[in-house]
Amino acid sequence: KQWYQRRVAITAGGDAPDFDRSSWTDVKFTLGLEFPNLPYLMDGDVKLTQTIAILHYLSNKYGLAPKDFAVHAQCDMLDHVAIDLTMLGVRLFYQPKDKFEAGKAGLVISAGAMIKQFATFLGSKKYFAGDYITGTDFLVFETIDKYTVLEPTIIEDENLKNFMQRIRDLPTMNKYFTDPNSTRSWILNNKMAAFK
């Protein structure tokens, strides 16, 4: 069963003559979503938007939620910090190419400092919640992994490098990273972004 459905909005100037912003805007308010946005999830009667809401729903559904209240609160915090880290880059990625190039070094420094905070929080733990994996681990992994495309050496701390490899080595993740037909080769941002 495909439980996660995500539509990719392609802005004007995308591939083929039929792709434009209307591929999303024409259906956006017809899907029964209370707050139409991308990404979205439809799972039976459950219809959600917003990355963290979807992450929490799937984490609970598939046994990847934190096991106690304090750890749950910490994972919630990490989820939001991961989104902050994403947004730090988005602000620059969508600037004109010359502004992106001029700001890239500063972004790498700022993002690197936030990534170091993740390493400090992780400490000697196997995963961010301790000895067991949660949805938060996947969000943090994805966020940091995108920054390694921008700057391959952005992760300085061995514990975080080991964490990233641990997630990559999970059987399903390993299949994703080694399958030439996976979405791994897709661009990270919209085609109009300076950093794709």
Side-chain angles (χ1 to χ4, degrees):
K1 176 180 175 186
Q2 185 177 10
W3 44 262
Y4 182 75
Q5 181 178 1
R6 181 178 181 170
R7 292 195 55 121
V8 178
I10 308 213
T11 60
D15 296 334
D18 298 331
F19 281 155
D20 63 33
R21 194 180 262 295
S22 67
S23 67
W24 168 240
T25 58
D26 285 356
V27 298
K28 181 177 181 174
F29 294 103
T30 67
L31 300 172
L33 300 167
E34 294 174 307
F35 297 93
N37 205 346
L38 297 171
Y40 67 82
L41 174 134
M42 293 183 180
D43 185 25
D45 292 337
V46 175
K47 295 180 179 184
L48 292 173
T49 58
Q50 300 299 331
T51 301
I52 292 177
I54 293 168
L55 172 71
H56 289 180
Y57 173 81
L58 294 173
S59 295
N60 281 298
K61 182 173 182 172
Y62 293 103
L64 294 171
K67 294 181 170 56
D68 68 60
F69 185 72
V71 173
H72 202 292
Q74 289 178 324
C75 286
D76 284 350
M77 174 184 67
L78 292 168
D79 294 342
H80 289 276
V81 174
I83 295 297
D84 288 347
L85 180 55
T86 295
M87 295 310 296
L88 180 69
V90 167
R91 288 185 198 101
L92 186 61
F93 299 157
Y94 286 88
Q95 294 293 318
K97 185 78 169 167
D98 61 328
K99 288 187 179 182
F100 166 73
E101 292 299 337
K104 181 180 171 183
L107 173 61
V108 168
I109 291 168
S110 297
M114 289 182 78
I115 289 168
K116 185 158 195 62
Q117 288 178 296
F118 279 108
T120 299
F121 184 93
L122 181 64
S124 62
K125 298 186 295 273
K126 187 174 180 180
Y127 300 107
F128 283 95
D131 291 333
Y132 62 95
I133 198 165
T134 67
T136 294
D137 295 298
F138 292 103
L139 180 61
V140 171
F141 172 87
E142 177 191 19
T143 303
I144 294 173
D145 186 60
K146 287 178 184 177
Y147 275 96
T148 66
V149 174
L150 178 69
E151 175 50 63
T153 62
I154 200 163
I155 304 172
E156 296 177 352
D157 298 273
E158 287 302 314
N159 67 330
L160 193 57
K161 289 178 185 178
N162 293 338
F163 163 81
M164 297 293 286
Q165 191 60 51
R166 196 173 298 120
I167 298 293
R168 230 178 240 279
D169 288 343
L170 294 169
T172 302
M173 295 295 285
N174 184 270
K175 182 179 176 186
Y176 169 77
F177 279 101
T178 58
D179 181 353
N181 297 316
S182 77
T183 60
R184 179 70 178 158
S185 63
W186 290 12
I187 60 175
L188 298 175
N189 295 300
N190 191 295
K191 291 182 178 189
M192 62 193 252
F195 173 66
K196 294 169 183 54

